[in-house]
Each structure stands twice: as C-alpha cells, then as structure tokens.
Amino acid sequence: MGAGIRVLAALLAALAAATAGVTAQLRQDYYAAVCPDLESIVRAAVSKKVQAQPVAVGATIRLFFHDCFVEVRASSSSSSTTACVSDGPGRLAMLQLPACMQGCDASVILVSTGNNTAEKDHPSNLSLAGDGFDTVIQAKAAVDAVPACANQVSCADILALATRDVIELAGGPSYAVELGRLDGLVSMSTNVDGKLPPPSFNLDQLTSIFALNNLSQADMIALSAAHTVGFAHCSTFSDRIQPQSVDPTMNATYAEDLQAACPAGVDPNIALQLDPVTPQAFDNQYFANLVDGRGLFASDQVLFSDARSQPTVVAWAQNATAFEQAFVDAITRLGRVGVKTDPSLGDVRRDCAFLN
C-alpha cells in the first residue's frame, strides 16, 4: 500500500509539473556525463540503415510523429479520465485521475501482449513501415554496445535523434535535439483513437488537432512538409482520382499519372512516392508541388487551396531557408509533447519493444 501511495503522489506531482512546464527539464547535453558520444553513435547507425534502406527516412519521421501525437488528454466535459501508472515491472494499474500523458515516449514501438493491444496495432498505425522501427532498434543496439552507454539512453530520445539524422541525411536541416525523455510504461491501441489526422482532413480540422498538442497552424503547415519524403498506399488518396469525379484542386496531368499507377482493383500493397519531383530529398519541393496542384493527400492540397494557409505555402515554396527554420521550430515543439521526466511515469527500456 505504501508503494502505491508513493506512485500516486508522484503521478499527481508529475502532472502538476507538466502544466508548469516540465519540458524545461529537457536539455541538449542530457547524456554528456554518461554517454558523451551518443549523437555520433546514433548518427552512424542511422546512416548505415539509410544507406541500406532509403525508405527508412520517411518511415522514421512518420514513426516519430505517430508516437508524439498520441497524447492522452482529459476530456473538457469531465474532471477525470482513465490514467495510467506503473504497478511494478511490466505491470499497469488504471486509476481515475487527470490523464497521464503519452506523447513522445516511444510507446508506439511497444508490441502487443496477450491481454493488451498496443498502439502499433491500431488501424492507423498498421501502415507504419518496419524500417522506421528497425532504425530505432539498430541505433539502440549501437548505443548499448558501448559499456558506458548501455541502458542509459531512452528509446524515446533515440527516436528523436534518429528523426533528426534521417532528415539531415536526406538533405534537410540539421538541428539540436532536446534530450531527457523517459520511455512510457503504457501502450494501448484505444489511446490512438481520434489522435492522428487522416488524409481527408480540411484546414480547420488540421488546425484543431494540432492545437490540441499546443502546435500552431504554422507548425502544422511546416510539419506537413514531412510528406516531401515517404510513400502512400493507393487507398489513402483513391477517392481523389475517381475517373468521373477527380478532385478539382488536383493537377489534371498528375491525376492521370495517379490513375495509371492506381487503377481499380490495384494490389493494396502498392505505394507511391509522396513527392513526385524530388522523392528522396527533404526539401521545400513539397510546397512547390502544392502550388502546382500536386499534393497527394486532400490534407496536403488544402494547404494551398484554402486562402487562409495559401500565403504560407507560397512563401515557403519560394524560400527554402524560411521553411527550414519554421520546420526546425515546429519539430522541436513536437518533440516536447507529453514528455516524461519523472521516474514514476517512465524508465529507460532495455528493449524498445518490451516493457522492462
């Protein structure tokens, strides 16, 4: 009972600290004393993975987004909701408390167990490419192979570093990564419901779902440019290219190309590059594509077709430096969503796919 009370008290204290700005505990030199070569170790492992499988770039970025965006929040119509705390190694206790945060805690990497379906097996996450998970697993193995670093660095921080590294390897901006996240103790498929924006969202819906994570409309537009790399299955945009009802905001030639690549009855495993011009480069071509009507998803093209966001799209299509700075600011803020720094709410996993 004493241990349970201590966990409860720590949870309440951590939640109070979160509203006061617990993310201030993140810092770039968090591992300087225990693993000073961390960033070079991770970068080498990520570089090796990307050289072998270039698709790891888009896969890793998407994995980071899907991890951070699943943050459990208390409903505005209720003073409490089901929250999660550790009840010993590998076990969970459910309490009626203000919601604990998920967010950037590598919970998306945890595998399902006999009595729990994890986040990664939610329908919205089934298309997460295995190369994204493997990028983190390989980097974690490289870090733990160094005796001083073994079991010192969280999977959540390795994912954040790997995301930065794949972006840089693809020609995108390099940036300092804030560190100090602990790995989450909970991963439930039900927590994903309604947290990830589908490709059909309009501007208001996109703006609202990003705002729930304290991200602005400008942050949303910048982060959407992650679609400058990666792939998408035909089913995610097929409604826009129906022969008798092509989305009028889509470039006619682009629509014809997509129809040829994704005919009726196409193999559901077929996937197309998100950026038809520079598919392997992390650049501002994404915005130039939108200006030209070549956004693959409705949620991409709406950023140009809606007059409220169009000026930002046009500006970043013309100014790569301005876009890169906005992207760095946005992904840094994304990396602060729901982080755990209190040991009662997280730990450093020995294996990223399993609780300790």
Side-chain angles (χ1 to χ4, degrees), residues 224-274:
S224 295
H227 288 169
T228 189
V229 291
F231 295 81
H233 292 95
C234 295
S235 60
T236 59
F237 56 85
S238 59
D239 59 320
R240 302 187 67 214
I241 58 172
Q242 294 304 306
Q244 304 305 317
S245 57
V246 173
D247 187 331
T249 66
M250 181 178 283
N251 178 293
T253 301
Y254 186 45
E256 292 174 359
D257 292 342
L258 295 176
Q259 288 170 342
C262 296
V266 67
D267 183 339
N269 294 314
I270 294 295
L272 303 187
Q273 293 164 327
L274 288 164

Side-chain angles (χ1 to χ4, degrees), residues 6-35:
R6 286 195 297 273
V7 170
L8 173 57
L11 174 61
L12 292 172
L15 290 168
T19 49
V22 70
T23 52
Q25 297 181 31
L26 298 179
R27 62 181 195 271
Q28 296 168 21
D29 64 347
Y30 185 83
Y31 296 102
V34 296
C35 189

